[in-house]
């Protein structure tokens, strides 16, 4: 009986190529691979031509699918090559890692224990845990060690990725590779702290599975695991020792499936513990073993040309030569990624680094999104989304893409509904852009970017329904029954209308009616108005009946107008700023509604604020600004109010707060009204130096919201007014001699 151990690092083309050759030479009768045992039944799907890496195995607890563990694979992953070898040779493959069921059971048990309110937390997104080869993230902080980093430092390298690429990925002779890896890992583990209990249990379970293969009669066994685990699997632990470690572990029911994965999720930058910094580069090394440097530089040049950069063929040739020369100077057989970058920056980018970021994102990381066959088991919600994506011609991509929708067209409305419904169930494939196109108008602009771990979000939402619309509707209804704040309810009603969910809309309308009748908090009333105003004004564009919303809107506006004056009295600065924000939202909502009676009531309440005693100065200034911008008061009244608020008898702190409220928003008010400008200028000049310095931070903040163009125009206005003032006050000097020379010409013209 022979057992061959192969210690690998996940996502390494050199390691994958060496493993592929080693398995071809060994010809094992079974492959034991570090991975989740629940996925044994899914291995055969890897032979389907529709299975295109990057893909991932997803294991999740059936009772709480919001928790999940991903096991990603790229075409250059050693584990993927092992799976493919087993399928091609028609030999069994077992996943031998400790099942995630035990960790899930512990997590669910901990969540079931009530926690203090201040420390309670819920896990709403998938757990991207390290893969089999990454021991570092599985250990506690005190004992954490990165074996690759330790070995690279011992070899004199500061960059572990660079050391691994040179020693493993570019290794010309991989014959003794695995023996060298095993020797290195034994040396590192001898100096490392003892692994934690979880790691000991994982390694004990793998040893148990090796024993099971021996007991089943297999004679030529290949064991493939993370290199860190090699020493522990080869040590002579007893059966009794391992059984004791694994005894009594809790369990829960789990499920497993294949899901698409993406290049950006393979990258270290995504936070995935067992990733690689440059999956696109590693794929290039896997696909282009020969002449990889020339092809890489050519791809970079093509990408830069697509962006409008002028890259000649001569520059590409020169960059390739420079990369090769750098590799030779550093005693490397082939240029690595570092040499390629340096050559590109020097020759193609002329020393600039801007284009390198594009190459980093598009080439080094990549933009590939994998796919799984339709026969793979998936949640009905996932299948419903795939069908809708095909029907609506919305292809998922990890590249951010803008999608402009016309809601007057059926296709635009259906696409909008799907994206809004996905947001409701916690799958934010699309982000609504607010650059001038407001929700509810006949146009919407979205930015679409698919994330690989949306799969687990879809599984988590499956408990609400088997289709996107039913799940979104049921989720809103459940949240509506728990909601107590009116703004929360109106926001959900807005979502239900935008997603065209009639059942949820009916339930939420009933809740909003009940809450609106009872709500007394002015802040809640003001925050609840904008979503309802959008529905009342634009609902018909989406063919949505919104007549039942109008009475609620009218009632809210009336109660806001009645309660505004008492709410604006005796406020400190922070409370005044919060009220101003809500007043601005109410004004925008009323502008959207464009109903004369509601606007008249609102401006009547604003007029009460402008001159009322006890109202916060900042609120009075902002109320004046809202009324003036909507032509409810004229310029003379504006100037009169400014002179009163900035009079010498008014404390400087109050004047400054009033001015801050008045200047909130556009700077055109100052640019177009010289009298107001001069009033403010005179007030500023009247402040003594100590008060001016004290008020300066608030004054600077008042001007900070103005655009760059507005501030530039204000500077020009200062210079122009100063020049006009200087000209008006300068003594008049008349040159009588020059004036007399004009008289004959004037006489001839006038006939004198």
């Amino acid at each position: 009986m022979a057992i061959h151990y192969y210690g690998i690092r996940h996502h390494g083309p050199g390691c994958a190529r060496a493993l592929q050759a080693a398995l071809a030479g060994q010809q094992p009768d079974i492959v034991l691979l570090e991975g989740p045992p629940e996925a044994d039944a899914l291995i055969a799907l890897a032979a389907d031509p529709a299975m295109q890496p990057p893909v991932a195995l997803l294991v999740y607890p059936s009772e709480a699918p919001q928790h999940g563990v991903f096991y990603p694979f790229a075409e250059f992953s050693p584990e993927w090559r092992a799976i493919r070898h087993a399928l091609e040779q028609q030999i069994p493959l077992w996943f031998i890692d400790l099942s995630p069921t035990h960790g899930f059971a512990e997590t669910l048990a901990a969540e079931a224990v009530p926690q203090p309110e201040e420390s309670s937390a819920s896990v709403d997104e998938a757990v991207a845990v390290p893969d089999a080869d990454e021991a570092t993230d599985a250990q506690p902080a005190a004992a954490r060690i990165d074996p690759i980093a330790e070995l690279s430092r011992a070899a004199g390298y500061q960059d572990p990725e660079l050391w691994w690429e040179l020693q493993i990925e570019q290794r010309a002779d991989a014959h003794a590779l695995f023996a060298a890896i095993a020797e290195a890992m034994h040396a590192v583990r001898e100096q490392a702290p003892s692994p934690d209990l979880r790691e000991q249990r994982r390694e004990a379970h793998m040893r148990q599975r090796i024993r099971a293969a021996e007991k089943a009669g297999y004679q030529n066994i290949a064991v493939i695991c993370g290199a860190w685990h090699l020493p522990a699997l080869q040590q002579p632990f007893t059966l009794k020792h391992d059984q004791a470690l694994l005894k009594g572990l809790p369990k829960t029911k789990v499920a497993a499936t294949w899901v698409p994965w993406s290049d950006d999720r393979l990258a270290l930058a995504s936070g995935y513990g067992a990733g690689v910094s440059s999956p696109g580069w590693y794929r290039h090394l896997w696909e282009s073993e020969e002449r990889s440097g020339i092809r890489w530089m050519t791809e970079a040049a093509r990408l830069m040309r697509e962006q409008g950069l002028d890259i000649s063929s001569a520059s590409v040739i020169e960059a390739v030569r420079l990369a090769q020369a750098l590799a030779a100077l550093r005693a490397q057989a082939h240029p690595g990624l570092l040499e390629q970058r340096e050559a590109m920056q020097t020759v193609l980018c002329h020393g600039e680094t801007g284009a390198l970021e594009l190459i980093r994102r598009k080439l080094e990381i990549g933009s590939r999104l994998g796919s799984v066959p339709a026969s793979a088991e998936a949640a009905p919600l996932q299948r419903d989304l795939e069908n809708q994506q095909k029907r609506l011609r919305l292809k998922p991509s990890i590249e951010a893409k803008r999608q402009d929708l016309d809601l007057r067209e059926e296709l635009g409305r259906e696409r909008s509904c799907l994206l809004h419904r996905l947001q409701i169930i916690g799958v934010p494939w699309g982000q609504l852009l607010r650059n001038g196109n407001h929700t509810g108008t006949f146009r919407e602009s979205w930015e679409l970017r698919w994330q690989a771990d949306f799969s687990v979000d879809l599984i988590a939402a499956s408990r609400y329904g088997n289709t996107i619309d039913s799940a979104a509707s049921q989720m809103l209804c459940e949240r509506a029954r728990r909601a107590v704040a009116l703004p929360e309810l109106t926001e959900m009603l807005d979502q239900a209308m935008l997603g065209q969910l009639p059942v949820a809309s009916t339930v939420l309308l009933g809740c909003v009616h009940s809450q609106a009748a009872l709500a007394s908090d002015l802040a809640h009333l003001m925050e609840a108005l904008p979503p309802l105003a959008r529905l009342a004004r634009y609902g018909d564009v989406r063919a949505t009946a919104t007549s039942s919303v109008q009475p609620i809107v009218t009632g809210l506006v009336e109660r806001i107008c009645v309660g505004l004056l008492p709410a604006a009295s005796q406020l400190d600065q922070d409370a005044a700023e919060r009220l101003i924000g809500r007043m601005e939202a109410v004004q925008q909502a009323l502008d959207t509604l464009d109903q004369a009676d509601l606007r008249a009531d609102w401006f009547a309440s604003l007029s009460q604020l402008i001159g009322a005693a006890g109202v916060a100065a900042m609120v009075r200034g902002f109320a004046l600004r809202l009324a003036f911008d909507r032509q409810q008061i004229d310029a003379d009244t504006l100037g009169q109010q400014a002179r009163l608020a900035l009079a010498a008898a008014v404390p400087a702190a109050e004047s400054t707060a009033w001015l801050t409220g008045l200047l909130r928003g556009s700077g055109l008010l100052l640019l177009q009204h010289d009298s107001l400008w001069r009033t403010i200028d005179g007030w500023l000049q009247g402040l003594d130096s100590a008060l001016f310095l004290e008020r300066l931070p608030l004054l600077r903040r008042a001007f900070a919201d103005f655009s760059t163009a507005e501030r530039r125009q204000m500077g020009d206005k200062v210079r122009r007014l100063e020049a006009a003032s200087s000209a008006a006050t300068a003594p008049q000097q008349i040159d009588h001699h020059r004036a007399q020379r004009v008289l004959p010409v004037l006489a001839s013209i006038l006939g004198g």
Side-chain angles (χ1 to χ4, degrees):
M1 179 180 296
I3 302 178
H4 295 266
Y5 293 88
Y6 302 101
I8 53 93
R9 186 193 186 203
H10 205 45
H11 309 323
C15 203
R17 193 172 284 112
L19 179 64
Q20 188 169 259
L23 292 176
Q26 179 192 347
Q27 289 298 311
D29 53 8
I30 187 173
V31 174
L32 306 182
L33 179 62
E34 185 178 342
E38 290 80 4
D40 282 352
L42 304 177
I43 294 172
L45 286 172
D48 193 312
M51 182 77 81
Q52 296 294 323
V55 293
L57 286 168
L58 169 61
V59 183
Y60 58 94
S62 303
E63 297 179 1
Q66 70 270 21
H67 300 284
V69 180
F70 292 106
Y71 297 82
F73 303 91
E75 62 268 40
F76 48 81
S77 298
E79 293 95 331
W80 183 255
R81 305 324 306 174
I83 292 172
R84 296 291 302 172
H85 176 87
L87 291 172
E88 292 167 1
Q89 300 301 315
Q90 298 183 353
I91 60 174
L93 183 145
W94 296 354
F95 284 117
I96 63 172
D97 201 358
L98 183 66
S99 171
T101 182
H102 310 300
F104 289 145
E106 293 173 353
T107 300
L108 297 179
E111 290 182 348
V113 177
Q115 301 291 326
E117 183 175 350
E118 63 272 14
S119 61
S120 62
S122 62
V123 180
D124 293 323
E125 53 187 45
V127 181
V129 300
D131 268 359
D133 57 317
E134 287 289 323
T136 59
D137 285 0
Q139 296 176 339
R144 185 168 296 172
I145 184 173
D146 183 350
I148 306 301
E150 294 295 322
L151 291 170
S152 65
R153 277 195 292 268
Y157 287 82
Q158 294 183 347
D159 185 354
E161 291 292 320
L162 176 60
W163 177 84
W164 181 265
E165 180 180 339
L166 295 177
Q167 298 300 319
I168 306 299
E169 306 307 335
Q170 294 189 16
R171 194 181 185 97
D173 180 15
H175 179 71
L177 173 63
F178 294 107
I181 290 176
E183 181 181 357
M185 290 302 157
H186 276 85
V188 173
R189 286 201 67 151
E190 287 177 0
Q191 304 299 321
S194 298
D196 68 355
L197 182 58
R198 178 179 176 274
E199 283 301 287
Q200 294 180 45
R201 286 172 171 169
R202 291 181 63 199
E203 292 165 349
H205 187 271
M206 286 189 270
R207 289 191 294 266
Q208 288 283 64
R209 297 301 291 159
I210 295 171
R211 294 187 185 104
E214 293 177 304
K215 187 176 181 180
Y218 293 104
Q219 300 296 313
N220 190 11
I221 302 172
V223 179
I224 303 165
C225 64
W228 177 256
H229 301 299
L230 267 182
L233 300 190
Q234 293 176 323
Q235 287 180 5
F237 287 99
T238 64
L239 174 62
K240 183 178 180 180
H241 172 273
D242 290 344
Q243 288 176 336
L245 280 173
L246 299 172
K247 184 178 180 180
L249 293 179
K251 294 182 180 180
T252 188
K253 188 176 180 180
V254 298
T257 187
W258 286 103
V259 296
W261 207 243
S262 59
D263 282 346
D264 62 332
R265 294 293 289 159
L266 287 171
L268 282 172
S270 69
Y272 159 58
V276 289
S277 60
S278 304
W281 166 250
Y282 273 6
R283 178 180 295 110
H284 176 78
L285 292 180
W286 173 257
E287 297 175 348
S288 308
E289 184 178 6
E290 301 294 332
R291 304 176 65 83
S292 60
I294 297 176
R295 291 193 58 185
W296 182 256
M297 199 68 70
T298 303
E299 289 296 324
R302 182 180 295 114
L303 177 62
M304 295 171 71
R305 287 168 182 159
E306 290 174 357
Q307 302 301 315
L309 300 176
D310 186 13
I311 306 296
S312 67
S313 299
S315 297
V316 176
I317 295 171
E318 187 61 31
V320 171
R321 288 175 177 171
L322 178 56
Q324 293 172 342
L326 290 171
L329 287 172
R330 295 164 183 171
Q332 298 172 196
H334 305 285
L337 185 56
L338 178 62
E339 287 73 36
Q340 300 285 357
R341 287 175 183 164
E342 292 177 351
M344 288 178 190
Q345 181 175 352
T346 302
V347 179
L348 302 185
C349 303
H350 307 289
E352 300 294 332
T353 59
L356 287 180
E357 179 56 33
L358 173 69
I359 294 170
R360 165 70 183 162
R361 187 176 70 255
K362 295 281 191 177
L363 286 185
E364 293 183 16
I365 293 179
S367 58
R368 186 171 298 187
L369 178 66
S371 62
V372 300
S375 57
E377 183 178 355
L381 206 61
Q382 173 73 44
R383 292 297 180 225
D384 180 57
L385 175 58
E386 292 172 358
N387 292 334
Q388 292 199 53
Q389 287 171 334
K390 292 179 181 178
R391 182 174 62 86
L392 300 177
R393 300 191 298 278
L394 287 174
K395 185 177 180 180
S397 170
I398 66 172
E399 290 287 319
K401 294 185 177 180
R402 180 173 174 132
Q403 186 74 230
D404 294 318
L405 305 180
D406 189 337
L407 303 182
R408 296 168 297 184
E409 300 175 353
E410 183 178 357
L411 179 61
R413 288 196 301 271
E414 290 187 359
R415 286 176 170 179
S416 174
C417 284
L418 174 61
L419 295 173
H420 281 293
R421 290 168 180 174
L422 287 172
Q423 286 195 325
I424 292 170
I425 65 174
V427 183
W429 177 23
Q431 294 294 330
L432 188 61
L433 302 178
R434 302 284 183 177
N435 53 341
N437 291 328
H438 300 289
T439 304
T441 64
F442 67 91
R443 289 192 181 277
E444 280 184 351
S445 296
W446 294 80
E447 183 178 85
L448 305 184
R449 187 173 185 270
W450 186 259
Q451 299 283 350
D453 46 4
F454 286 162
S455 301
V456 79
D457 298 322
L458 286 168
I459 292 172
S462 295
R463 68 187 180 94
Y464 292 100
N466 292 333
T467 62
I468 301 297
D469 60 337
S470 64
S473 183
Q474 181 60 34
M475 184 177 288
L476 282 178
C477 290
E478 182 178 296
R479 288 168 54 194
R481 286 187 283 269
R482 297 197 308 262
V484 294
L486 184 59
E488 184 180 357
L489 286 170
T490 57
E491 188 64 36
M492 286 192 289
L493 178 59
D494 190 21
Q495 293 175 333
M497 292 290 192
L498 294 174
Q500 293 189 7
L501 302 171
V503 174
S505 299
T506 302
V507 172
L508 283 161
L509 272 172
C511 295
V512 169
H513 270 292
S514 301
Q515 288 291 339
L518 299 174
S520 58
D521 189 327
L522 184 72
H524 284 179
L525 296 175
M526 298 177 80
E527 292 169 3
L529 180 62
L532 293 176
R534 290 195 297 268
L535 291 177
R537 179 68 176 86
Y538 296 117
D540 289 341
V541 178
R542 297 171 175 274
T544 303
T546 57
S547 56
S548 55
V549 176
Q550 184 59 49
I552 304 175
V553 170
T554 302
L556 286 180
V557 174
E558 291 174 351
R559 294 169 66 187
I560 289 170
C561 293
V562 170
L564 186 59
L565 180 59
S569 302
Q570 309 302 323
L571 298 179
D572 60 19
Q573 180 177 328
D574 292 339
E577 289 181 348
R578 289 193 294 270
L579 179 59
I580 284 176
R582 297 186 185 106
M583 290 170 61
E584 190 170 23
V586 169
Q587 181 66 69
Q588 292 174 354
L590 292 173
D591 290 343
T592 299
L593 287 167
D594 196 22
Q595 296 179 14
D597 54 342
L598 297 183
R599 287 168 60 91
D601 292 343
W602 171 249
F603 286 123
S605 65
L606 291 183
S607 64
Q608 291 180 328
L609 295 181
I610 292 173
V615 173
M618 189 182 299
V619 176
R620 287 191 285 109
F622 186 64
L624 180 65
R625 176 62 183 268
L626 290 179
F628 181 78
D629 283 348
R630 272 75 180 178
Q631 291 84 46
Q632 299 300 307
I633 62 173
D634 55 24
D636 292 339
T637 304
L638 174 66
Q640 180 184 4
Q641 290 292 331
R643 288 188 292 273
L644 290 172
L646 301 177
V650 178
E654 184 176 338
S655 298
T656 305
W658 182 89
L659 185 61
T660 301
L662 180 72
L663 297 183
R664 184 183 176 102
S666 171
L668 294 177
L669 184 69
L670 283 177
L671 290 171
Q672 296 179 356
H673 297 278
D674 290 351
S675 60
L676 177 62
W677 179 284
R678 291 192 174 93
T679 300
I680 296 174
D681 184 54
W683 171 73
L684 285 172
Q685 292 185 31
L687 295 176
D688 62 45
S689 58
L691 274 178
F692 178 78
L693 292 175
E694 179 185 343
R695 297 289 115 198
L696 184 58
L698 285 176
L699 291 169
R700 293 183 65 180
R701 187 169 65 178
F703 283 80
D705 292 336
F706 297 156
S707 68
T708 303
E710 288 173 337
R711 290 199 295 268
R712 185 183 303 112
Q713 292 179 52
M714 288 180 186
D716 294 340
K717 188 181 185 73
V718 170
R719 288 189 291 271
R720 187 173 64 254
L721 291 177
E722 287 180 350
S725 177
S726 299
T729 57
Q732 299 295 322
Q733 300 291 336
I734 301 177
D735 188 338
H736 294 279
H737 177 69
R738 293 185 64 190
Q740 289 177 353
R741 295 173 61 184
V742 179
L743 293 178
V745 178
L746 290 175
S748 63
I749 294 174
L750 298 175

